[in-house]
Amino acid sequence: MSRFEPGPLLEPFIEHYWTIHFDVHPETPYSQTVLSYPNVHLVFEHDDLGRRALLYGIPKQSFVRKLRGVGRVLGVKFRAGGFYPFWQRDISLLTGATVKASEMFGSVADGWKHAVLDAGDDAVDFLP
């Protein structure tokens, strides 16, 4: 896992960006458990299930993901209250929820997904 600081314009909203790369033998998957902080994350994922751009709301319990094959993730961890300017509703509506980024940001989110995931290891170049 690697973390990157946001630029000054986004610092009031974003705590940091994070990336994860994994390569797990498909026949021996690994369950990763994360004790999450109460933050919203915008996440771009690419693994054996395909590509996704998702919003993860504040979790109600530990986050568990089964890793298998090759994959990578780039996430945006919003500061507490930092997602409100984009959401403009009670943040509790996202508690325990996972939503397609396109439901929040429209079809432009699919363009972001492909731009970030096509960048490979150069994805950090997209980070303001």
Short mmCIF file of all heavy atoms in Angstrom, two decimals, residues 8-41:
data_model
loop_
_atom_site.label_atom_id
_atom_site.label_comp_id
_atom_site.label_asym_id
_atom_site.label_seq_id
_atom_site.Cartn_x
_atom_site.Cartn_y
_atom_site.Cartn_z
N PRO A 8 -2.68 21.34 -2.83
CA PRO A 8 -3.26 22.34 -1.93
C PRO A 8 -4.73 22.67 -2.19
O PRO A 8 -5.47 22.96 -1.25
CB PRO A 8 -2.39 23.58 -2.12
CG PRO A 8 -1.46 23.30 -3.23
CD PRO A 8 -1.52 21.84 -3.55
N LEU A 9 -5.19 22.62 -3.44
CA LEU A 9 -6.58 22.93 -3.72
C LEU A 9 -7.55 21.88 -3.17
O LEU A 9 -8.69 22.21 -2.83
CB LEU A 9 -6.81 23.10 -5.22
CG LEU A 9 -6.16 24.32 -5.86
CD1 LEU A 9 -6.36 24.31 -7.37
CD2 LEU A 9 -6.72 25.60 -5.26
N LEU A 10 -7.11 20.64 -3.11
CA LEU A 10 -7.99 19.56 -2.64
C LEU A 10 -7.73 19.14 -1.20
O LEU A 10 -8.50 18.37 -0.64
CB LEU A 10 -7.88 18.35 -3.57
CG LEU A 10 -8.40 18.59 -4.97
CD1 LEU A 10 -8.17 17.37 -5.85
CD2 LEU A 10 -9.88 18.96 -4.94
N GLU A 11 -6.69 19.68 -0.60
CA GLU A 11 -6.33 19.31 0.77
C GLU A 11 -7.46 19.51 1.79
O GLU A 11 -7.61 18.71 2.71
CB GLU A 11 -5.08 20.07 1.20
CG GLU A 11 -4.48 19.55 2.47
CD GLU A 11 -3.15 20.21 2.77
OE1 GLU A 11 -2.81 21.25 2.16
OE2 GLU A 11 -2.45 19.69 3.64
N PRO A 12 -8.31 20.54 1.65
CA PRO A 12 -9.42 20.66 2.60
C PRO A 12 -10.43 19.52 2.53
O PRO A 12 -11.17 19.27 3.47
CB PRO A 12 -10.09 21.98 2.22
CG PRO A 12 -9.07 22.74 1.45
CD PRO A 12 -8.24 21.69 0.75
N PHE A 13 -10.47 18.81 1.41
CA PHE A 13 -11.47 17.76 1.20
C PHE A 13 -10.90 16.35 1.28
O PHE A 13 -11.57 15.42 1.70
CB PHE A 13 -12.11 17.93 -0.19
CG PHE A 13 -12.58 19.33 -0.45
CD1 PHE A 13 -11.85 20.18 -1.28
CD2 PHE A 13 -13.73 19.80 0.14
CE1 PHE A 13 -12.27 21.48 -1.50
CE2 PHE A 13 -14.17 21.10 -0.09
CZ PHE A 13 -13.44 21.94 -0.91
N ILE A 14 -9.66 16.18 0.82
CA ILE A 14 -9.07 14.84 0.69
C ILE A 14 -7.95 14.66 1.71
O ILE A 14 -7.04 15.50 1.80
CB ILE A 14 -8.53 14.64 -0.75
CG1 ILE A 14 -9.71 14.68 -1.73
CG2 ILE A 14 -7.74 13.34 -0.86
CD1 ILE A 14 -9.31 14.65 -3.18
N GLU A 15 -8.03 13.57 2.45
CA GLU A 15 -6.97 13.26 3.42
C GLU A 15 -5.74 12.73 2.70
O GLU A 15 -4.62 13.16 2.95
CB GLU A 15 -7.48 12.24 4.43
CG GLU A 15 -6.53 12.03 5.58
CD GLU A 15 -7.18 11.32 6.73
OE1 GLU A 15 -8.33 11.66 7.09
OE2 GLU A 15 -6.53 10.42 7.29
N HIS A 16 -5.94 11.75 1.81
CA HIS A 16 -4.86 11.24 0.98
C HIS A 16 -5.43 10.32 -0.10
O HIS A 16 -6.58 9.91 -0.04
CB HIS A 16 -3.78 10.51 1.80
CG HIS A 16 -4.28 9.30 2.54
ND1 HIS A 16 -4.53 9.32 3.88
CD2 HIS A 16 -4.59 8.05 2.13
CE1 HIS A 16 -4.96 8.13 4.26
NE2 HIS A 16 -5.02 7.34 3.21
N TYR A 17 -4.58 10.04 -1.08
CA TYR A 17 -4.85 9.02 -2.09
C TYR A 17 -4.10 7.77 -1.65
O TYR A 17 -3.06 7.86 -1.00
CB TYR A 17 -4.32 9.45 -3.46
CG TYR A 17 -4.89 10.76 -3.95
CD1 TYR A 17 -4.18 11.95 -3.79
CD2 TYR A 17 -6.11 10.81 -4.60
CE1 TYR A 17 -4.68 13.16 -4.25
CE2 TYR A 17 -6.63 12.02 -5.06
CZ TYR A 17 -5.90 13.18 -4.88
OH TYR A 17 -6.41 14.36 -5.33
N TRP A 18 -4.59 6.61 -2.03
CA TRP A 18 -3.89 5.37 -1.68
C TRP A 18 -3.98 4.39 -2.83
O TRP A 18 -4.91 4.43 -3.64
CB TRP A 18 -4.45 4.76 -0.39
CG TRP A 18 -5.95 4.57 -0.37
CD1 TRP A 18 -6.89 5.50 0.03
CD2 TRP A 18 -6.68 3.41 -0.76
NE1 TRP A 18 -8.15 4.97 -0.09
CE2 TRP A 18 -8.05 3.68 -0.57
CE3 TRP A 18 -6.32 2.16 -1.24
CZ2 TRP A 18 -9.05 2.76 -0.86
CZ3 TRP A 18 -7.32 1.23 -1.53
CH2 TRP A 18 -8.67 1.55 -1.32
N THR A 19 -2.97 3.55 -2.94
CA THR A 19 -2.95 2.52 -3.98
C THR A 19 -2.57 1.19 -3.35
O THR A 19 -1.82 1.14 -2.38
CB THR A 19 -1.94 2.84 -5.10
OG1 THR A 19 -0.63 2.89 -4.55
CG2 THR A 19 -2.26 4.14 -5.79
N ILE A 20 -3.11 0.14 -3.94
CA ILE A 20 -2.77 -1.22 -3.53
C ILE A 20 -2.62 -2.04 -4.81
O ILE A 20 -3.42 -1.92 -5.73
CB ILE A 20 -3.88 -1.84 -2.66
CG1 ILE A 20 -4.03 -1.08 -1.36
CG2 ILE A 20 -3.60 -3.31 -2.40
CD1 ILE A 20 -5.20 -1.53 -0.51
N HIS A 21 -1.59 -2.87 -4.83
CA HIS A 21 -1.39 -3.84 -5.90
C HIS A 21 -1.33 -5.21 -5.25
O HIS A 21 -0.74 -5.37 -4.19
CB HIS A 21 -0.06 -3.58 -6.63
CG HIS A 21 0.01 -2.25 -7.29
ND1 HIS A 21 -0.22 -2.08 -8.63
CD2 HIS A 21 0.27 -1.02 -6.80
CE1 HIS A 21 -0.10 -0.81 -8.93
NE2 HIS A 21 0.20 -0.13 -7.83
N PHE A 22 -1.95 -6.21 -5.88
CA PHE A 22 -1.84 -7.56 -5.34
C PHE A 22 -1.72 -8.58 -6.47
O PHE A 22 -2.15 -8.35 -7.59
CB PHE A 22 -3.03 -7.90 -4.42
CG PHE A 22 -4.38 -7.82 -5.06
CD1 PHE A 22 -4.93 -8.93 -5.68
CD2 PHE A 22 -5.12 -6.64 -5.03
CE1 PHE A 22 -6.19 -8.86 -6.28
CE2 PHE A 22 -6.37 -6.56 -5.60
CZ PHE A 22 -6.91 -7.68 -6.23
N ASP A 23 -1.08 -9.67 -6.13
CA ASP A 23 -0.88 -10.79 -7.05
C ASP A 23 -0.97 -12.05 -6.20
O ASP A 23 0.02 -12.46 -5.58
CB ASP A 23 0.46 -10.68 -7.76
CG ASP A 23 0.64 -11.72 -8.86
OD1 ASP A 23 -0.22 -12.62 -8.99
OD2 ASP A 23 1.64 -11.63 -9.59
N VAL A 24 -2.16 -12.63 -6.14
CA VAL A 24 -2.45 -13.77 -5.28
C VAL A 24 -2.84 -14.94 -6.18
O VAL A 24 -3.69 -14.78 -7.06
CB VAL A 24 -3.60 -13.45 -4.29
CG1 VAL A 24 -3.91 -14.64 -3.42
CG2 VAL A 24 -3.25 -12.23 -3.45
N HIS A 25 -2.24 -16.07 -5.95
CA HIS A 25 -2.56 -17.25 -6.77
C HIS A 25 -4.06 -17.49 -6.75
O HIS A 25 -4.68 -17.53 -5.68
CB HIS A 25 -1.82 -18.48 -6.24
CG HIS A 25 -1.83 -19.62 -7.21
ND1 HIS A 25 -2.92 -20.42 -7.39
CD2 HIS A 25 -0.88 -20.05 -8.07
CE1 HIS A 25 -2.65 -21.33 -8.31
NE2 HIS A 25 -1.41 -21.13 -8.74
N PRO A 26 -4.70 -17.64 -7.92
CA PRO A 26 -6.16 -17.76 -8.00
C PRO A 26 -6.73 -18.94 -7.20
O PRO A 26 -7.87 -18.90 -6.76
CB PRO A 26 -6.45 -17.94 -9.48
CG PRO A 26 -5.24 -17.45 -10.19
CD PRO A 26 -4.09 -17.63 -9.25
N GLU A 27 -5.94 -19.99 -7.02
CA GLU A 27 -6.44 -21.16 -6.29
C GLU A 27 -6.30 -21.03 -4.78
O GLU A 27 -6.82 -21.86 -4.04
CB GLU A 27 -5.72 -22.42 -6.80
CG GLU A 27 -6.07 -22.72 -8.25
CD GLU A 27 -5.36 -23.95 -8.78
OE1 GLU A 27 -4.88 -24.76 -7.96
OE2 GLU A 27 -5.28 -24.09 -10.00
N THR A 28 -5.59 -20.01 -4.33
CA THR A 28 -5.44 -19.79 -2.89
C THR A 28 -5.74 -18.34 -2.55
O THR A 28 -4.85 -17.56 -2.22
CB THR A 28 -4.00 -20.15 -2.42
OG1 THR A 28 -3.06 -19.41 -3.20
CG2 THR A 28 -3.73 -21.64 -2.55
N PRO A 29 -7.00 -17.94 -2.65
CA PRO A 29 -7.36 -16.54 -2.38
C PRO A 29 -7.04 -16.16 -0.94
O PRO A 29 -6.93 -17.02 -0.06
CB PRO A 29 -8.86 -16.50 -2.64
CG PRO A 29 -9.32 -17.90 -2.58
CD PRO A 29 -8.16 -18.77 -2.94
N TYR A 30 -6.91 -14.87 -0.73
CA TYR A 30 -6.57 -14.33 0.58
C TYR A 30 -7.67 -13.37 1.01
O TYR A 30 -8.05 -12.49 0.25
CB TYR A 30 -5.22 -13.59 0.50
CG TYR A 30 -4.84 -12.90 1.78
CD1 TYR A 30 -4.34 -13.62 2.86
CD2 TYR A 30 -5.00 -11.53 1.91
CE1 TYR A 30 -3.99 -13.00 4.03
CE2 TYR A 30 -4.65 -10.89 3.09
CZ TYR A 30 -4.14 -11.62 4.15
OH TYR A 30 -3.80 -11.00 5.32
N SER A 31 -8.18 -13.54 2.23
CA SER A 31 -9.18 -12.61 2.77
C SER A 31 -8.48 -11.50 3.54
O SER A 31 -7.80 -11.78 4.52
CB SER A 31 -10.16 -13.34 3.69
OG SER A 31 -11.07 -14.07 2.93
N GLN A 32 -8.65 -10.28 3.07
CA GLN A 32 -8.06 -9.11 3.71
C GLN A 32 -9.14 -8.41 4.52
O GLN A 32 -10.21 -8.09 3.99
CB GLN A 32 -7.51 -8.15 2.66
CG GLN A 32 -6.94 -6.87 3.21
CD GLN A 32 -5.68 -7.10 4.02
OE1 GLN A 32 -4.78 -7.79 3.59
NE2 GLN A 32 -5.63 -6.53 5.20
N THR A 33 -8.88 -8.18 5.79
CA THR A 33 -9.81 -7.46 6.66
C THR A 33 -9.21 -6.11 7.01
O THR A 33 -8.04 -6.03 7.40
CB THR A 33 -10.09 -8.26 7.94
OG1 THR A 33 -10.63 -9.54 7.58
CG2 THR A 33 -11.08 -7.54 8.84
N VAL A 34 -10.01 -5.06 6.87
CA VAL A 34 -9.56 -3.71 7.17
C VAL A 34 -10.49 -3.10 8.22
O VAL A 34 -11.71 -3.12 8.05
CB VAL A 34 -9.56 -2.82 5.90
CG1 VAL A 34 -9.15 -1.39 6.23
CG2 VAL A 34 -8.67 -3.42 4.83
N LEU A 35 -9.90 -2.58 9.29
CA LEU A 35 -10.67 -1.83 10.27
C LEU A 35 -10.67 -0.38 9.79
O LEU A 35 -9.67 0.31 9.90
CB LEU A 35 -10.05 -1.95 11.66
CG LEU A 35 -9.92 -3.38 12.19
CD1 LEU A 35 -9.16 -3.39 13.52
CD2 LEU A 35 -11.29 -4.00 12.35
N SER A 36 -11.77 0.03 9.23
CA SER A 36 -11.85 1.32 8.55
C SER A 36 -12.09 2.49 9.49
O SER A 36 -12.75 2.35 10.51
CB SER A 36 -12.97 1.29 7.51
OG SER A 36 -12.74 0.29 6.58
N TYR A 37 -11.58 3.65 9.07
CA TYR A 37 -11.91 4.91 9.72
C TYR A 37 -13.24 5.39 9.15
O TYR A 37 -13.64 4.98 8.07
CB TYR A 37 -10.82 5.95 9.43
CG TYR A 37 -9.54 5.70 10.17
CD1 TYR A 37 -8.50 5.01 9.56
CD2 TYR A 37 -9.36 6.13 11.47
CE1 TYR A 37 -7.31 4.78 10.23
CE2 TYR A 37 -8.18 5.91 12.16
CZ TYR A 37 -7.15 5.23 11.52
OH TYR A 37 -5.99 5.00 12.19
N PRO A 38 -13.92 6.28 9.84
CA PRO A 38 -15.23 6.75 9.35
C PRO A 38 -15.09 7.82 8.26
O PRO A 38 -15.37 8.98 8.47
CB PRO A 38 -15.88 7.31 10.62
CG PRO A 38 -14.73 7.77 11.45
CD PRO A 38 -13.62 6.80 11.17
N ASN A 39 -14.63 7.37 7.10
CA ASN A 39 -14.44 8.26 5.97
C ASN A 39 -15.09 7.67 4.72
O ASN A 39 -15.19 6.46 4.59
CB ASN A 39 -12.94 8.46 5.67
CG ASN A 39 -12.19 9.06 6.82
OD1 ASN A 39 -11.86 8.35 7.77
ND2 ASN A 39 -11.94 10.34 6.77
N VAL A 40 -15.44 8.55 3.80
CA VAL A 40 -15.93 8.14 2.49
C VAL A 40 -14.71 7.95 1.58
O VAL A 40 -13.75 8.71 1.66
CB VAL A 40 -16.87 9.20 1.90
CG1 VAL A 40 -17.25 8.88 0.47
CG2 VAL A 40 -18.12 9.35 2.77
N HIS A 41 -14.77 6.92 0.72
CA HIS A 41 -13.69 6.65 -0.23
C HIS A 41 -14.28 6.56 -1.64
O HIS A 41 -15.30 5.91 -1.85
CB HIS A 41 -13.00 5.31 0.09
CG HIS A 41 -12.23 5.32 1.35
ND1 HIS A 41 -10.86 5.41 1.38
CD2 HIS A 41 -12.63 5.26 2.64
CE1 HIS A 41 -10.46 5.40 2.64
NE2 HIS A 41 -11.52 5.30 3.42
#
